[in-house]
Amino acid sequence: MLNEIGDDSTEAPSTPHDSASRGEFVQLLTKAQLGLLRYITTLVGDPDAASNILQNTNLLLWKKADEFEMGTNFDAWATKIAYWQVKAFVRDRGRDRHVFSEQLIVQLAEDSQELHDMDMTIHLLRTCLQSLPGKNRELVSMRYNLGLSIQQLSSRLGKSPSAIKGSLLRARRALRDCIEAKRLETR
């Protein structure tokens, strides 16, 4: 569109080659905005600065769109670019005492990633719980939601404590396997 206007001094940033890829890239970028803004705000502690950094990040993401491999984890790629934009911001504003140090930025980024991982695990756990057979789901719920002990479960269900332990072990393994499989799907 810029070329139609005839203004040669302004060029559009490079984009994915075909319109289908461009459309998918725009959808991924749009979907990632809130998460990126939260991430950047966590790192810099200033919503106004975070908004500016997000704009710079978006420009860089758009310029590097051809480098993104469709089907890979867009959020991880975009977050890494945002991280480097935050580091550049900190470097450029290093003399301002109100800007976090680079070391604090690194620590906050690690903490933020851990929180994101924990949120993802909780989401996957809830999804995987729904796939457990009804009796196992009920047993897990009684044990962990109601806080019933093995002995209480044994009495309530009329099964031996070792049978309850075995059932819980199998249910936890099934949940672990389900969560790991779903994590691999998202990468």
Side-chain angles (χ1 to χ4, degrees):
M1 184 174 238
L2 291 173
N3 292 338
E4 293 174 10
I5 297 171
D7 182 5
D8 293 333
S9 64
T10 308
E11 291 184 29
S14 64
T15 60
H17 296 292
D18 63 13
S19 62
S21 292
R22 187 177 314 120
E24 186 178 351
F25 185 85
V26 168
Q27 286 179 343
L28 291 169
L29 181 60
T30 302
K31 184 180 172 189
Q33 292 302 289
L34 184 57
L36 286 172
L37 183 59
R38 285 180 181 158
Y39 175 76
I40 295 167
T41 303
T42 299
L43 298 182
V44 296
D46 176 2
D48 292 329
S51 181
N52 290 333
I53 294 168
L54 177 62
Q55 289 179 13
N56 292 337
T57 300
N58 286 334
L59 285 172
L60 191 54
L61 289 168
W62 191 253
K63 287 177 183 177
K64 292 180 169 280
D66 287 331
E67 296 175 23
F68 176 69
E69 185 178 326
M70 291 296 177
T72 60
N73 189 331
F74 181 85
D75 289 338
W77 180 71
T79 300
K80 193 56 146 176
I81 290 175
Y83 172 77
W84 288 109
Q85 288 297 109
V86 168
K87 285 191 68 129
F89 170 80
V90 170
R91 180 197 65 229
D92 293 345
R93 301 275 171 93
R95 294 185 188 141
D96 184 348
R97 65 182 181 86
H98 298 293
V99 177
F100 294 158
S101 71
E102 188 171 336
Q103 185 178 18
L104 181 58
I105 296 294
V106 170
Q107 182 62 46
L108 289 172
E110 290 170 0
D111 292 348
S112 178
Q113 183 60 41
E114 288 173 11
L115 287 174
H116 174 72
D117 291 346
M118 189 181 308
D119 287 344
M120 176 63 82
T121 301
I122 290 168
H123 171 73
L124 294 176
L125 175 60
R126 287 183 178 138
T127 301
C128 290
L129 272 168
Q130 297 305 312
S131 69
L132 277 180
K135 288 184 178 183
N136 286 344
R137 187 171 50 240
E138 185 178 339
L139 179 64
V140 168
S141 177
M142 287 190 294
R143 175 68 177 113
Y144 298 105
N145 290 341
L146 300 178
L148 298 179
S149 68
I150 300 294
Q151 199 60 40
Q152 290 169 321
L153 289 170
S154 175
S155 297
R156 185 178 274 194
L157 300 174
K159 293 184 178 183
S160 70
S162 62
I164 297 294
K165 288 179 185 178
S167 294
L168 282 170
L169 178 64
R170 287 188 294 279
R172 287 191 303 261
R173 282 183 182 157
L175 289 171
R176 182 196 64 218
D177 292 345
C178 176
I179 289 169
E180 288 176 1
K182 291 194 178 298
R183 275 199 186 156
L184 289 175
E185 289 174 11
T186 62
R187 289 184 183 176

